[in-house]
């Protein structure tokens, strides 16, 4: 699977609310929760879904904030796989 063109990235970003692009190589979003436990529960759900999709996002937890960064390093940037996982993550909220 090869990485997406800049045009494809912009088109797919329009389908996702609140996700942003970083240097055309990754997309990211921060999610805020009521407390640390809710942040951890969400991160656990993301991890389970990501593993099912054979994807390994970067997950950063700072108390009530979870930041997710998606990229496909083996392809040198963003692929359909990243946007598919982002859509799955949105359904977890």
């Amino acid at each position: 699977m090869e990485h997406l063109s800049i045009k494809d990235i912009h088109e797919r970003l329009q389908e996702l609310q609140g996700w942003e692009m970083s240097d055309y190589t990754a997309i990211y979003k921060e999610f805020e929760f009521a407390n640390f436990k809710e942040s951890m529960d969400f991160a656990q759900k993301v991890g389970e879904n990501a593993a099912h999709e054979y994807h390994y996002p970067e997950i950063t937890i700072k108390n009530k904030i979870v930041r997710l960064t998606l990229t496909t390093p083996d392809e040198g940037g963003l692929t359909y796989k990243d946007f598919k996982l982002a859509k799955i993550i949105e359904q977890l909220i």
Side-chain angles (χ1 to χ4, degrees):
M1 178 179 297
E2 67 182 52
H3 65 85
L4 297 171
S5 69
I6 293 170
K7 180 184 176 203
D8 285 335
I9 293 168
H10 283 292
E11 287 174 0
R12 277 157 186 70
L13 271 176
Q14 291 177 2
E15 299 170 4
L16 297 170
Q17 188 169 3
W19 289 84
E20 297 183 42
M21 182 175 37
S22 175
D23 299 329
Y24 296 102
T25 61
I27 56 173
Y28 65 92
K29 183 174 180 179
E30 288 187 350
F31 299 84
E32 186 170 356
F33 297 93
N35 55 52
F36 181 72
K37 182 181 180 335
E38 286 184 16
S39 294
M40 290 298 295
D41 290 345
F42 175 68
Q44 179 66 33
K45 288 179 193 174
V46 169
E48 290 168 1
N49 281 272
H52 181 72
E53 295 294 323
Y54 301 100
H55 198 298
Y56 307 98
E58 180 180 309
I59 302 172
T60 305
I61 303 167
K62 292 183 181 179
N63 194 9
K64 300 187 294 184
I65 306 291
V66 177
R67 181 186 171 113
L68 301 177
T69 304
L70 308 179
T71 189
T72 307
D74 294 344
E75 297 301 329
L78 290 162
T79 66
Y80 292 105
K81 190 175 180 178
D82 301 302
F83 288 92
K84 179 180 179 186
L85 182 58
K87 287 181 179 181
I88 291 169
I89 290 167
E90 289 298 321
Q91 295 174 7
L92 299 176
I93 303 292

